[in-house]
Amino acid sequence: MKKTIPWLILFPGFVFILFVSCTSEKKEKIIDLPQIMERGELIAITSYSPLSYFVYRGEVMGYEYELLQLYSEHTGIPVKIKLARDFGEMINMLERGEGDMIAYGLTVTSERRERLAFTNPFNTTRQVLV
């Protein structure tokens, strides 16, 4: 059976992915921003890395972490962070319903686009063969 394509949350400057969680193969449970607001917390999946999320001298830092904090301030929804070892685990966690979005800088490939829905990118780079 084909996997459910995740939904996205639109917020300028983020490359986040919001999910549609499959509670069983036949029954879908859609989680969107109104349901997240009602629940009272946004669960973001990211990786422990020097750019995304890390702890330095007891203080949590990272680019995606800072964006999540700004989003939390903007919406009033507290953010809970769940860490994954790699991007493959992030996707699996999202598809299992363990989080609402992936907060991680990644490239958009045709393979990923088949499984995930992306927001508008914050910045764009081009690969060049040198």
Side-chain angles (χ1 to χ4, degrees):
M1 180 173 239
K2 188 175 177 176
K3 298 253 182 192
T4 307
I5 297 175
W7 291 40
L8 59 98
I9 185 168
L10 297 175
F11 187 76
F14 290 89
V15 178
F16 283 153
I17 304 157
L18 196 63
F19 81 111
V20 174
S21 172
C22 252
T23 55
S24 71
E25 293 214 2
K26 294 181 180 178
K27 183 180 173 188
E28 291 182 2
K29 181 179 179 187
I30 299 174
I31 304 292
D32 211 346
L33 189 57
Q35 291 80 24
I36 292 168
M37 291 176 81
E38 186 176 309
R39 183 179 64 207
E41 77 176 353
L42 173 73
I43 303 168
I45 302 167
T46 193
S47 178
Y48 192 89
S49 72
L51 294 176
S52 299
Y53 177 92
F54 63 95
V55 179
Y56 178 70
R57 295 185 178 179
E59 187 175 342
V60 179
M61 298 179 173
Y63 183 69
E64 273 75 30
Y65 174 76
E66 296 293 329
L67 290 175
L68 287 167
Q69 294 309 305
L70 290 171
Y71 184 76
S72 177
E73 290 172 17
H74 177 75
T75 61
I77 304 171
V79 175
K80 178 180 178 181
I81 306 281
K82 284 197 174 184
L83 297 176
R85 287 184 302 266
D86 55 37
F87 187 67
E89 184 180 10
M90 288 182 212
I91 292 174
N92 292 334
M93 289 172 70
L94 187 68
E95 290 176 337
R96 287 191 306 261
E98 295 177 31
D100 301 315
M101 68 172 61
I102 294 174
Y104 193 75
L106 60 119
T107 56
V108 179
T109 64
S110 56
E111 181 182 321
R112 289 178 183 162
R113 198 174 285 227
E114 288 177 15
R115 293 178 74 185
L116 306 169
F118 294 87
T119 64
N120 295 327
F122 182 66
N123 65 30
T124 304
T125 60
R126 305 254 189 268
Q127 291 181 338
V128 177
L129 180 62
V130 179

